[in-house]
Amino acid sequence: MDGSVDLRQLRCLVAIVDEGTFTDAAAALGVSQAAVSRTLASLERALGVRLLRRTSREVTPTGTGLRVVAHARRVLAEVDDLVREAVSGHTQVRVGYAWAALGRHTLAFQRRWSTAHPGTDLHLVRVNSASAGLGEGSCDLAVVRRPLEDRRFESAIVGLERRLCAMAADDPLARRRSVRLADLAGRTLLVDRRTGTTTPQLWPPEQRPAVEETHDVDDWLTVISTGRCVGITAESTANQYPRPGVVYRPVRDAEPIAVRLVWWRDDPHPAAQAVLELLTALYREG
């Protein structure tokens, strides 16, 4: 077993399984039956396993063969997508976000984009990481709400959002139209240190609240609804995640949150400038 596998071998295996015989697979691939046999044999040697059972009448996958075929189909589909995208010149743009996308602007962003750029599909992707999926390769551009120190990325501010306090609907503070940071000093603050915008440093040292951690917006909302903790978040979270039992109130003495679009410094997506301009316009319109 040498572990060296190429796409030609995977296509050959899938063709044999789909066509049912070596002869039909050879016809589908446009090669000789002998070439099909050699290619399959080389794949089995590379993996060190038997992939097919051959009789005089039919060819069927072994148990291992079934698993390899399933993986092969996924790999070939991804390669086909890659080639199609490269040849057509980027037919989609994936915009990542961690908790909330663009709040009340999300729907307008999607609709205006599809009207102005019908040849480029827009996909919003939720990834709860510091770069909202950009560093992991899950998206082409990302919306983040705190600065990234990673020098591989470039960013621009597209707008500002108010900070809101999320609390249980029966919390005494819920009766107010707004709150101050000092009102929360004796409370327990629920934060996401990986992607969140709130830290105890928002408060003076003598007023800092106790802190608990979470890594998921649904868990954050569930805990807050019990009244055990409160949270501070961007107003986009309130737009995207209304939740029975949770209310949001403006924190009137807290600085607003800058919303940034982020892209790869040395390889920006061709749609980056258009996305930047549309988001900036949406936030400017309010």
Side-chain angles (χ1 to χ4, degrees):
M1 180 181 75
D2 61 20
S4 178
V5 174
D6 61 40
L7 296 176
R8 179 179 55 88
Q9 293 169 325
L10 298 181
R11 292 192 192 281
C12 179
L13 173 64
V14 170
I16 295 169
V17 172
D18 286 348
E19 301 298 329
T21 69
F22 279 55
T23 302
D24 291 340
L29 294 170
V31 299
S32 69
Q33 184 175 333
V36 169
S37 297
R38 286 194 301 270
T39 302
L40 178 68
S42 68
L43 177 58
E44 290 182 325
R45 282 196 304 272
L47 298 177
V49 294
R50 183 86 172 272
L51 299 174
L52 300 176
R53 296 188 187 91
R54 283 150 278 193
T55 69
S56 58
R57 291 189 174 184
E58 62 180 358
V59 177
T60 58
T62 63
T64 300
L66 285 172
R67 293 192 294 273
V68 173
V69 168
H71 282 290
R73 291 190 194 281
R74 288 196 293 271
V75 169
L76 293 173
E78 289 181 4
V79 170
D80 288 344
D81 287 344
L82 183 152
V83 172
R84 186 161 49 249
E85 182 175 316
V87 170
S88 61
H90 288 283
T91 58
Q92 70 170 359
V93 56
R94 301 166 299 165
V95 179
Y97 65 95
W99 275 35
L102 299 155
R104 67 179 183 276
H105 303 302
T106 302
L107 184 57
F109 174 47
Q110 293 171 303
R111 287 180 171 173
R112 289 197 195 179
W113 181 267
S114 64
T115 299
H117 306 277
T120 304
D121 293 334
L122 172 68
H123 300 280
L124 296 179
V125 183
R126 180 180 160 197
V127 181
N128 198 39
S129 73
S131 67
L134 190 60
E136 294 80 5
S138 302
C139 59
D140 308 300
L141 307 168
V143 174
V144 301
R145 288 176 172 79
R146 65 181 189 183
L148 293 181
E149 304 299 329
D150 195 323
R151 297 290 298 168
R152 297 175 300 166
F153 304 133
E154 188 70 67
S155 69
I157 295 176
V158 297
L160 300 175
E161 293 179 348
R162 296 181 301 166
R163 290 184 196 265
L164 304 182
C165 178
M167 65 190 79
D170 59 356
D171 191 296
L173 292 176
R175 294 194 292 268
R176 302 186 185 181
R177 296 179 61 181
S178 64
V179 299
R180 293 182 178 276
L181 289 171
D183 297 328
L184 309 172
R187 310 297 288 273
T188 299
L189 186 70
L190 193 59
V191 303
D192 182 347
R193 294 189 191 276
R194 288 187 302 183
T195 64
T197 55
T198 302
T199 70
Q201 280 65 44
L202 271 177
W203 286 261
E206 69 279 2
Q207 292 185 345
R208 286 175 185 166
V211 171
E212 290 188 17
E213 288 195 50
T214 185
H215 300 296
D216 179 81
V217 64
D218 290 311
D219 178 62
W220 183 79
L221 289 165
T222 298
V223 173
I224 287 173
S225 68
T226 68
R228 185 164 60 83
C229 298
V230 297
I232 292 185
T233 188
E235 63 183 294
S236 55
T237 305
N239 291 113
Q240 193 154 334
Y241 298 102
R243 176 69 65 91
V246 175
V247 298
Y248 297 89
R249 296 290 181 263
V251 184
R252 62 179 182 267
D253 58 343
E255 290 292 321
I257 295 169
V259 183
R260 292 174 167 83
L261 183 70
V262 186
W263 58 90
W264 287 98
R265 183 185 299 273
D266 61 353
D267 187 25
H269 190 281
Q273 186 61 35
V275 171
L276 178 63
E277 291 174 0
L278 178 52
L279 292 182
T280 302
L282 287 170
Y283 274 93
R284 187 182 300 123
E285 292 168 11

